[in-house]
Amino acid sequence: MEEDIRFTLNGKAVTLTADPDRMLLWVLRTDLGLTGTKYGCGEGICGGCTVLVDDKPLRSCVTPLSQVKGKTVTTIEGLAQNGKLHPLQQAFMDHDGLQCGYCTPGMILTAYGLLKGNPKPSYSDIVTGMDQNLCRCGAHKRIIEAIQAAAKEMPGGA
Ligand code: FES
Ligand code: FES
C-alpha cells in the first residue's frame, strides 16, 4: 500500500506517495528522472546502482524505499557542488577512469565511501575496497589511478 515517504535527495527535501517496498533504484530512475543511477544486475552484485545514504554507499536495486525514510540520499547528480565537480569526478575525467561510463556513477560513489572511511588508502586498500564494483570495459587500472589522485585532493576524505 502506498504511503507518504520523506527523505532528503541531493540536498532537497522530497515527499513521495509510493509503495515503501519499491526499490530505491526505480524510484530514482523512473519517478524522479535521475538516470545517473544505473541498473546492472538488480541483485546487489555489480555496484552500478550505488548511491549514498547518510554518506554511505548503498546498492539501490536492493534497497526498499522504506529504508531511506528520513535519511539523506545522494546520487551522482548531487555530488558536484556550486557547479564544480567533486574531486572524484574530476579525477575520473583526468585519468580516463572510464570507457563506456556505465559503471562510473557507482564507482565514484563507492570510492567516496572508501575515502571517507580511509582517506589515505594504499593501492591494495583501493583494490579491495572497489572489488565488488564491476566494470565490463576493463577500466579498473585507470579507475584505481583516479581514486589515488582524488585521495591526494581530499586529505580529509570528503
Ligand atoms: S544493479 Fe544494483 S548491484 Fe547491480
Ligand atoms: S567503463 Fe564501461 S562498464 Fe566500466
Side-chain angles (χ1 to χ4, degrees):
M1 200 167 69
E2 292 191 340
E3 59 180 77
D4 285 350
I5 294 174
R6 293 182 179 78
F7 58 101
T8 301
L9 176 62
N10 295 337
K12 293 196 179 122
V14 172
T15 304
L16 293 174
T17 304
D19 179 346
D21 293 331
R22 278 186 79 210
M23 293 304 153
L24 178 60
L25 170 65
W26 300 115
V27 173
L28 292 170
R29 287 185 60 85
T30 309
D31 300 12
L32 299 169
L34 294 175
T35 54
T37 305
K38 301 303 185 200
Y39 169 64
C41 63
E43 296 179 1
I45 295 167
C46 73
C49 65
T50 303
V51 298
L52 300 175
V53 176
D54 286 351
D55 248 11
K56 294 195 180 68
L58 209 70
R59 299 197 165 186
S60 63
C61 72
V62 288
T63 301
L65 193 54
S66 58
Q67 270 189 32
V68 302
K69 270 187 205 170
K71 296 190 176 169
T72 296
V73 177
T74 306
T75 67
I76 195 67
E77 289 91 345
L79 205 57
Q81 293 294 319
N82 305 318
K84 192 169 184 290
L85 290 178
H86 185 276
L88 271 162
Q89 293 173 304
Q90 189 63 53
F92 269 67
M93 285 182 61
D94 293 346
H95 292 266
D96 287 331
L98 56 117
Q99 191 170 322
C100 77
Y102 200 82
C103 69
T104 312
M107 289 285 181
I108 287 177
L109 295 174
T110 301
Y112 179 101
L114 171 69
L115 295 182
K116 192 110 186 154
N118 180 4
K120 290 185 185 166
S122 66
Y123 181 89
S124 68
D125 289 340
I126 297 174
V127 171
T128 305
M130 301 302 295
D131 192 40
Q132 299 302 312
N133 281 63
L134 308 183
C135 172
R136 290 198 60 162
C137 297
H140 297 93
K141 185 170 175 294
R142 299 193 308 274
I143 289 169
I144 292 167
E145 287 166 6
I147 296 170
Q148 286 176 312
K152 289 191 185 132
E153 297 294 318
M154 304 162 54

